[in-house]
């Protein structure tokens, strides 16, 4: 019988979300890349030595990448456990958006995680570290606002879909993409 005093460890599990995590991180990286590309091109603002550091090169991210590159399961598990402990609240605050939440489990769960899934979790942790840097770095307020706008747009779309379902009892409408704007077309039987 296991005691309640036994240590419990954190893992990432999936939950219901507003946006697929892959789509969310792709959007984040696209806007972060654009920000750094613009900063790199704008050499009149700062000298080469004064150029701000890239949040994707922090020491924590480097440590996680080193664990992945080592191929050592022990190092990867240690990096994942430490990273989840440090970022669990942040990850859970975004769980409704990304569909990833951190939960407590017994340590033996890590023995069942394949190396491929372990590396995937570590790469996802890196994305959360970058997202945390975006939200806490005052220089990246433009990128942060792009992300917030993306989330708000998706939330608005979801609310519109829920309202249609509430009114009609059906989701038989179709979406048509026109440029970057999505327009909702109703079927005749939904009037």
């Amino acid at each position: 019988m296991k005691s309640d005093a036994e240590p419990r460890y954190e893992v990432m599990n999936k939950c219901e979300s507003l946006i697929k995590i892959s789509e969310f991180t792709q959007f984040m990286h696209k806007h972060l890349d654009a920000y750094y590309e613009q900063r790199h091109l704008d050499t009149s603002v700062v000298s080469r030595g004064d150029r701000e550091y890239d949040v994707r090169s922090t020491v924590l991210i480097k440590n996680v990448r080193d664990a992945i590159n080592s191929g050592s399961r022990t190092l990867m598990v240690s990096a994942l456990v430490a990273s989840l402990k440090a970022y669990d609240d942040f990850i859970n605050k975004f769980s409704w958006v990304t569909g990833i939440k951190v939960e407590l489990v017994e340590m033996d769960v890590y023995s069942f995680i394949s190396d491929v899934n372990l590396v995937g979790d570590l790469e996802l942790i890196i994305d959360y570290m970058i997202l945390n840097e975006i939200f806490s770095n005052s220089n990246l307020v433009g990128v942060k606002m792009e992300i917030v706008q993306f989330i708000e747009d998706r939330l608005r779309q979801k609310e519109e879909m829920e309202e249609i379902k509430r009114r009609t009892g059906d989701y038989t409408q179709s979406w048509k993409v026109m440029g970057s704007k999505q327009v909702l077309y109703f079927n005749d039987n939904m009037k």
Side-chain angles (χ1 to χ4, degrees), residues 82-160:
S83 299
L84 286 173
K85 186 173 176 86
Y87 288 91
D88 62 349
D89 286 338
F90 184 76
I91 293 169
N92 285 340
K93 285 179 185 174
F94 277 90
S95 66
W96 67 277
V97 175
T98 62
I100 303 294
K101 64 181 175 178
V102 177
E103 296 178 333
L104 290 173
V105 295
E106 303 297 329
M107 183 59 179
D108 61 352
V109 163
Y110 284 106
S111 63
F112 297 110
I113 297 176
S114 72
D115 287 352
V116 171
N117 289 336
L118 191 56
V119 169
D121 284 355
L122 287 168
E123 289 172 348
L124 189 54
I125 282 291
I126 290 171
D127 287 335
Y128 277 107
M129 289 175 174
I130 293 168
L131 183 62
N132 184 59
E133 288 290 324
I134 291 170
F135 273 77
S136 57
N137 187 327
S138 61
N139 293 326
L140 296 171
V141 71
V143 178
K144 175 183 173 181
M145 296 314 296
E146 290 286 340
I147 291 170
V148 168
Q149 185 64 50
F150 181 62
I151 294 169
E152 287 175 349
D153 289 347
R154 285 302 173 90
L155 187 57
R156 194 170 14 266
Q157 288 174 358
K158 182 178 180 182
E159 289 170 349
E160 289 170 0

Side-chain angles (χ1 to χ4, degrees), residues 17-36:
S17 68
L18 184 62
I19 305 165
K20 288 182 185 176
I21 186 67
S22 58
E23 184 180 0
F24 181 77
T25 57
Q26 182 180 14
F27 181 88
M28 175 186 73
H29 285 291
K30 175 183 164 193
H31 287 279
L32 194 57
D33 288 343
Y35 169 80
Y36 283 117

